[in-house]
């Protein structure tokens, strides 16, 4: 994990859930509580830029992440990205905490309110997911698929108006595509997005019990 300037890992304090605010994405992902997974208890904790920027910035600079997220470089670049998400208002950046250890970064967002909606036939309340697994030692163990399934289940349980969860991984990122498929997503189409050729992945509410 990244360290602060003093060399100590930033402390992650898990406080009590707050009342969900109103807004484009009803309720915050951080209010969804903990969920059991085959690898332990997992929960989403809303990003606090001052606390979490060193950690996320380090992850963004790992080569396997930088190749697809394009946020490698000074912390100011990642900070600008996080603050732009806050200003947009339809995306919730979160840390994924597994058994008390922050190990992944997530963006849960209203895909139908996002520029992505211009590139596919969006439906009202489509919810999108971006995910990166943090340190290299944590990758390649099948965690991505397990956690994607757990988080999409949370989305569908907590957002009754959402009929499907969508994602658009870079087609060159074959481990990411494989993780979405193992989590019950179906490959729907190829998309020409401004920065990449992507696969439109969809997990449908009415198929969640069979995929």
């Amino acid at each position: 994990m990244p360290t602060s300037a003093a060399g100590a890992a930033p402390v992650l304090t898990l406080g009590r859930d707050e009342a969900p605010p109103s807004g484009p994405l009803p309720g915050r992902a951080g209010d969804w509580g903990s969920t059991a997974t085959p690898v332990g208890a997992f929960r989403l904790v809303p990003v606090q830029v001052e606390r979490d920027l060193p950690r996320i910035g380090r992850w963004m600079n790992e080569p396997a992440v930088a190749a697809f997220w394009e946020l490698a470089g000074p912390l100011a670049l990642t900070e600008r990205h996080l603050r732009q998400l806050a200003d947009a208002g339809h995306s919730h950046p979160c840390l994924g905490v597994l058994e008390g250890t922050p190990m992944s970064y997530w963006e849960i967002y209203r895909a139908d309110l996002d520029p992505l909606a211009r590139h596919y036939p969006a439906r009202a309340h489509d919810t999108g997911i971006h995910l990166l697994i943090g340190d290299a030692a944590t990758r390649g163990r099948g965690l991505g698929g397990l956690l994607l399934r757990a988080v999409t289940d949370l989305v569908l349980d907590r957002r009754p108006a959402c009929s499907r969860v969508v994602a658009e991984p870079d087609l060159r990122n074959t481990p990411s595509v494989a993780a979405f498929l193992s989590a019950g997503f179906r490959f729907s189409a190829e998309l020409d997005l401004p920065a990449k050729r992507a696969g439109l992945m969809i997990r449908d509410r009415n198929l969640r019990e069979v995929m």
Side-chain angles (χ1 to χ4, degrees):
M1 294 178 188
T3 59
S4 66
V11 175
L12 184 72
T13 303
L14 305 183
R16 295 180 60 187
D17 290 345
E18 300 173 5
S22 59
L25 188 56
R28 296 189 307 174
D31 298 314
W32 294 347
S34 179
T35 186
T37 79
V39 289
F42 180 82
R43 69 174 298 176
L44 296 169
V45 177
V47 165
Q48 295 179 18
V49 175
E50 292 75 13
R51 179 193 67 193
D52 301 323
L53 181 60
R55 187 190 312 274
I56 298 171
R58 179 186 169 185
W59 289 346
M60 292 298 182
N61 277 279
E62 295 206 11
V65 173
F68 300 106
W69 280 75
E70 300 182 348
L71 288 173
L75 287 181
L77 188 62
T78 298
E79 180 177 9
R80 183 162 57 248
H81 174 75
L82 294 172
R83 296 199 185 280
Q84 285 174 344
L85 293 183
D87 291 341
H90 67 271
S91 180
H92 292 167
C94 294
L95 291 182
V97 179
L98 182 63
E99 289 291 294
T101 300
M103 46 70 66
S104 53
Y105 170 75
W106 301 72
E107 292 171 0
I108 313 296
Y109 65 101
R110 277 282 298 271
D112 59 322
L113 302 180
D114 190 80
L116 175 64
R118 297 196 292 266
H119 299 276
Y120 83 104
R123 297 178 186 172
H125 299 286
D126 275 357
T127 301
I129 285 184
H130 296 144
L131 161 67
L132 72 83
I133 302 293
D135 293 318
T138 313
R139 298 185 210 115
R141 297 166 45 191
L143 291 178
L146 291 173
L147 297 181
L148 280 167
R149 184 177 290 274
V151 169
T152 54
D153 280 342
L154 281 173
V155 170
L156 295 171
D157 288 342
R158 303 298 195 271
R159 302 203 64 233
C162 170
S163 65
R164 58 188 190 169
V165 181
V166 303
E168 24 75 44
D170 192 309
L171 285 174
R172 298 171 300 159
N173 191 350
T174 52
S176 179
V177 173
F180 280 102
L181 291 172
S182 71
F185 285 74
R186 59 182 174 85
F187 188 96
S188 177
E190 293 189 10
L191 302 178
D192 281 315
L193 301 182
K196 63 185 179 183
R197 182 73 171 169
L200 176 64
M201 314 293 291
I202 297 176
R203 187 173 183 208
D204 301 277
R205 176 183 294 278
N206 61 0
L207 296 177
R208 67 187 292 200
E209 301 302 329
V210 296
M211 294 184 67

